[in-house]
Amino acid sequence: MDKEVLNYVVEKTHELVDAPTCSSETKAAALAWLDAVGTEGEAAETRKYIEELEEDIMPVDNLIGFAESEAGSQVFGADKAKEVAAHAREIKAAGAKYCDCPACAAVEAILEKKDLMI
């Protein structure tokens, strides 16, 4: 991996790990990838990391559906769930494909470089 790409992905990975919205599975994959950088296992860990990121990023339509569901109301609270759904509709109308929470934003930025990572 090119040094500039590596530095960018490392920076975004630290943002992801620090994001309050990062799932435990994604955080574990991110930390495992960071530990593998510069080792013989880097390529294999990079593939696993990309796979995890692709599984965990939240498409904006899924966010809308979740926020409008009973489960979304339980997670966010009824009023906040409505705000999240409205926000998701706004970003979708503006062209967003994914949730824009800190974790998803970091994942999206990393995945934009995935072809350069392998």
Side-chain angles (χ1 to χ4, degrees):
M1 182 179 334
D2 173 275
K3 185 165 179 61
E4 186 176 313
V5 172
L6 177 63
N7 290 341
Y8 177 84
V9 175
V10 166
E11 177 185 332
K12 292 299 177 184
T13 298
H14 284 290
E15 288 177 21
L16 174 61
V17 168
D18 292 340
T21 52
C22 184
S23 72
S24 59
E25 298 86 7
T26 303
K27 184 178 279 193
L31 293 172
W33 179 78
L34 286 169
D35 286 344
V37 169
T39 71
E40 289 179 12
E42 181 178 341
E45 207 57 53
T46 298
R47 286 189 292 280
K48 289 182 198 174
Y49 185 38
I50 290 170
E51 185 177 310
E52 181 66 32
L53 296 178
E54 290 176 333
E55 288 177 12
D56 284 0
I57 193 167
M58 175 74 72
V60 72
D61 286 330
N62 292 13
L63 177 59
I64 293 166
F66 179 71
E68 292 178 340
S69 72
E70 183 60 35
S73 288
Q74 290 175 359
V75 168
F76 296 122
D79 291 338
K80 185 66 174 176
K82 289 176 187 172
E83 290 175 25
V84 169
H87 173 72
R89 288 187 188 288
E90 288 174 17
I91 65 171
K92 180 181 177 180
K97 295 165 82 173
Y98 300 104
C99 169
D100 66 346
C101 75
C104 287
V107 170
E108 186 174 15
I110 294 166
L111 289 176
E112 287 173 359
K113 303 287 187 187
K114 80 176 184 178
D115 291 341
L116 301 172
M117 293 171 66
I118 299 175

Short mmCIF file of all heavy atoms in Angstrom, two decimals, residues 63 65-78 80-82 84:
data_model
loop_
_atom_site.label_atom_id
_atom_site.label_comp_id
_atom_site.label_asym_id
_atom_site.label_seq_id
_atom_site.Cartn_x
_atom_site.Cartn_y
_atom_site.Cartn_z
N LEU A 63 -30.95 3.27 7.61
CA LEU A 63 -31.03 4.17 8.75
C LEU A 63 -32.44 4.73 8.90
O LEU A 63 -32.99 4.76 10.00
CB LEU A 63 -30.02 5.32 8.61
CG LEU A 63 -30.05 6.38 9.71
CD1 LEU A 63 -29.78 5.78 11.08
CD2 LEU A 63 -29.05 7.48 9.39
N GLY A 65 -35.23 3.41 7.79
CA GLY A 65 -36.10 2.31 8.23
C GLY A 65 -35.94 2.00 9.71
O GLY A 65 -36.93 1.79 10.42
N PHE A 66 -34.69 1.97 10.16
CA PHE A 66 -34.44 1.68 11.57
C PHE A 66 -34.98 2.79 12.46
O PHE A 66 -35.65 2.53 13.46
CB PHE A 66 -32.95 1.47 11.83
CG PHE A 66 -32.64 1.18 13.27
CD1 PHE A 66 -32.99 -0.03 13.84
CD2 PHE A 66 -32.02 2.13 14.06
CE1 PHE A 66 -32.73 -0.30 15.18
CE2 PHE A 66 -31.74 1.87 15.39
CZ PHE A 66 -32.09 0.66 15.96
N ALA A 67 -34.70 4.03 12.10
CA ALA A 67 -35.14 5.16 12.93
C ALA A 67 -36.66 5.21 13.03
O ALA A 67 -37.19 5.63 14.06
CB ALA A 67 -34.59 6.47 12.38
N GLU A 68 -37.34 4.78 11.99
CA GLU A 68 -38.81 4.82 12.00
C GLU A 68 -39.43 3.56 12.61
O GLU A 68 -40.66 3.49 12.73
CB GLU A 68 -39.32 5.02 10.58
CG GLU A 68 -38.99 6.41 10.05
CD GLU A 68 -39.43 6.64 8.61
OE1 GLU A 68 -39.66 5.65 7.87
OE2 GLU A 68 -39.54 7.82 8.23
N SER A 69 -38.61 2.61 13.03
CA SER A 69 -39.13 1.37 13.60
C SER A 69 -39.26 1.47 15.12
O SER A 69 -38.74 2.39 15.74
CB SER A 69 -38.19 0.21 13.25
OG SER A 69 -36.98 0.30 14.01
N GLU A 70 -39.93 0.47 15.68
CA GLU A 70 -40.05 0.39 17.13
C GLU A 70 -38.67 0.24 17.77
O GLU A 70 -38.38 0.86 18.79
CB GLU A 70 -40.96 -0.78 17.52
CG GLU A 70 -41.20 -0.90 19.01
CD GLU A 70 -41.88 0.31 19.63
OE1 GLU A 70 -42.73 0.94 18.98
OE2 GLU A 70 -41.53 0.63 20.79
N ALA A 71 -37.82 -0.56 17.14
CA ALA A 71 -36.47 -0.75 17.67
C ALA A 71 -35.70 0.57 17.67
O ALA A 71 -34.96 0.88 18.61
CB ALA A 71 -35.72 -1.80 16.85
N GLY A 72 -35.88 1.36 16.62
CA GLY A 72 -35.22 2.66 16.55
C GLY A 72 -35.69 3.58 17.66
O GLY A 72 -34.90 4.30 18.27
N SER A 73 -36.99 3.55 17.93
CA SER A 73 -37.53 4.35 19.03
C SER A 73 -36.96 3.92 20.37
O SER A 73 -36.70 4.75 21.24
CB SER A 73 -39.06 4.25 19.07
OG SER A 73 -39.62 4.95 18.00
N GLN A 74 -36.75 2.62 20.53
CA GLN A 74 -36.18 2.12 21.78
C GLN A 74 -34.71 2.53 21.92
O GLN A 74 -34.27 2.87 23.02
CB GLN A 74 -36.32 0.61 21.85
CG GLN A 74 -37.75 0.15 22.04
CD GLN A 74 -37.90 -1.36 22.00
OE1 GLN A 74 -36.92 -2.09 21.82
NE2 GLN A 74 -39.12 -1.83 22.16
N VAL A 75 -33.98 2.51 20.81
CA VAL A 75 -32.56 2.86 20.87
C VAL A 75 -32.37 4.36 21.04
O VAL A 75 -31.59 4.81 21.89
CB VAL A 75 -31.82 2.36 19.60
CG1 VAL A 75 -30.43 2.96 19.50
CG2 VAL A 75 -31.76 0.85 19.58
N PHE A 76 -33.05 5.14 20.22
CA PHE A 76 -32.84 6.59 20.20
C PHE A 76 -33.77 7.35 21.15
O PHE A 76 -33.47 8.47 21.52
CB PHE A 76 -33.08 7.15 18.79
CG PHE A 76 -32.13 6.66 17.75
CD1 PHE A 76 -32.60 6.00 16.62
CD2 PHE A 76 -30.77 6.87 17.86
CE1 PHE A 76 -31.73 5.56 15.64
CE2 PHE A 76 -29.89 6.44 16.88
CZ PHE A 76 -30.38 5.77 15.76
N GLY A 77 -34.90 6.76 21.49
CA GLY A 77 -35.97 7.49 22.15
C GLY A 77 -36.89 8.01 21.05
O GLY A 77 -36.43 8.29 19.93
N ALA A 78 -38.17 8.12 21.32
CA ALA A 78 -39.16 8.45 20.28
C ALA A 78 -38.86 9.76 19.56
O ALA A 78 -38.87 9.82 18.33
CB ALA A 78 -40.56 8.48 20.88
N LYS A 80 -35.98 11.56 19.44
CA LYS A 80 -34.69 11.52 18.74
C LYS A 80 -34.79 10.64 17.49
O LYS A 80 -34.19 10.97 16.45
CB LYS A 80 -33.60 11.02 19.68
CG LYS A 80 -32.22 11.06 19.07
CD LYS A 80 -31.76 12.48 18.83
CE LYS A 80 -30.33 12.52 18.35
NZ LYS A 80 -29.88 13.87 18.02
N ALA A 81 -35.55 9.57 17.55
CA ALA A 81 -35.72 8.69 16.39
C ALA A 81 -36.35 9.46 15.23
O ALA A 81 -35.93 9.31 14.07
CB ALA A 81 -36.56 7.48 16.75
N LYS A 82 -37.31 10.31 15.54
CA LYS A 82 -37.93 11.14 14.50
C LYS A 82 -36.91 12.11 13.91
O LYS A 82 -36.88 12.34 12.70
CB LYS A 82 -39.13 11.90 15.07
CG LYS A 82 -40.32 11.02 15.37
CD LYS A 82 -41.45 11.79 16.01
CE LYS A 82 -42.54 10.84 16.45
NZ LYS A 82 -43.58 11.49 17.24
N VAL A 84 -33.64 11.67 13.82
CA VAL A 84 -32.68 10.88 13.04
C VAL A 84 -33.27 10.55 11.67
O VAL A 84 -32.60 10.70 10.64
CB VAL A 84 -32.27 9.60 13.80
CG1 VAL A 84 -31.48 8.65 12.90
CG2 VAL A 84 -31.46 9.95 15.04
#
